[in-house]
Amino acid sequence: MGTLQFTKVTRETTIDVRLHLDRLIAEHDPDTQSARCHLLSVFGNDQEIAAIAAALSEEGRFYVTGLDIHRLMVTVGTSPAVYRSSISVPGRRRPLRHLIALSEELAKTSPGGNHSARCTVLCDDDPAFVLFRLGARFGLPVLPEWSEWFSSELQRRKAIEPLVGIGCKPAIVKGTKKRFLAWIGHGLKRGVIHIPADPEHVLWRVPDRVGPVDEESPKNAP
């Protein structure tokens, strides 16, 4: 758990909100000592969540603290996707309010989203999860058996970097659909990856920390 703080001073009043932060993905900018926030998940009461939602609509700046994060200024940027819900907690008269905000860049990593993208933000750096999400986004013909090979290619080509995270191990992958297809073709030609004789039913198992998923391979898988 971390803490998200938002402060706004006007002539009439001062707004100072501090909320529990259970998930964060942020891309640090060492030149400005700030970060572009791709995901934040916070809990609070009605007034606190309303204040955060209003700040997001105004491209507000927040301060984050947490394990290994002393004090980091973050902003979600323009056109964030904001989701709000209520959670009933035993012993509380009023439900707890929950808000999740996604940057425009992260929201476009959904399957089929922005095929021309050059970067993909992911909430986990597990090799199987990385390959599965890239395959789903770009429609790549991939198999889970290729996960370790693909991960080594990303590392060798310096195409993956860790991001700042709370409650997850996020990473950003740099590359286009055309580039990844070229890697796959080259790997098949060299014989370092193979297509099994009967690949009709393929299961992807991603780590529990991002939620248990047993999925069939993306539709374009060989």
Side-chain angles (χ1 to χ4, degrees):
M1 278 281 190
T3 302
L4 181 80
Q5 179 182 4
F6 171 68
T7 302
K8 181 177 181 180
V9 179
T10 67
R11 287 186 177 181
E12 294 79 17
T13 186
T14 297
I15 300 172
D16 187 14
V17 177
R18 287 178 173 84
L19 297 178
H20 290 298
L21 177 74
D22 73 311
R23 291 290 187 279
L24 172 77
I25 296 176
E27 188 175 353
H28 192 260
D29 184 352
D31 295 331
T32 62
Q33 296 300 311
S34 63
R36 168 77 184 279
C37 183
H38 292 292
L39 170 107
L40 62 85
S41 171
V42 292
F43 298 87
N45 61 35
D46 291 332
Q47 293 77 16
E48 292 168 337
I49 293 299
I52 298 301
L56 287 166
S57 67
E58 298 172 356
E59 300 180 39
R61 296 179 179 181
F62 308 92
Y63 287 93
V64 170
T65 57
L67 186 64
D68 298 326
I69 303 176
H70 176 61
R71 182 174 168 84
L72 180 65
M73 185 179 73
V74 302
T75 178
V76 183
T78 60
S79 304
V82 179
Y83 305 92
R84 298 164 69 171
S85 65
S86 300
I87 302 174
S88 297
V89 179
R92 288 180 59 98
R93 295 181 59 186
R94 295 177 178 274
L96 195 63
R97 306 304 183 186
H98 183 205
L99 180 146
I100 296 175
L102 307 179
S103 69
E104 186 177 18
E105 184 176 353
L106 180 58
K108 289 182 178 179
T109 62
S110 59
N114 191 13
H115 278 178
S116 61
R118 294 180 177 273
C119 293
T120 301
V121 177
L122 300 171
C123 66
D124 199 279
D125 62 0
D126 176 80
F129 180 80
V130 169
L131 185 57
F132 176 80
R133 290 296 299 146
L134 291 174
R137 180 182 195 186
F138 294 116
L140 300 175
V142 293
L143 292 169
E145 292 86 350
W146 301 351
S147 299
E148 293 300 331
W149 163 79
F150 191 80
S151 178
S152 66
E153 288 295 299
L154 289 173
Q155 298 289 347
R156 184 172 67 86
R157 299 170 187 267
K158 302 185 186 304
I160 186 169
E161 296 178 2
L163 297 179
V164 179
I166 291 178
C168 57
K169 295 178 61 181
I172 185 167
V173 176
K174 300 177 181 180
T176 61
K177 178 179 181 177
K178 182 178 180 180
R179 186 185 189 193
F180 297 142
L181 284 173
W183 293 3
I184 293 168
H186 189 58
L188 289 169
K189 186 179 295 184
R190 291 172 52 213
V192 294
I193 54 176
H194 306 275
I195 300 174
D198 184 17
E200 291 185 3
H201 189 68
V202 179
L203 291 180
W204 291 83
R205 300 182 183 277
V206 300
D208 289 341
R209 61 180 173 268
V210 293
V213 175
D214 286 344
E215 295 259 5
E216 290 192 2
S217 185
K219 291 183 179 179
N220 290 340

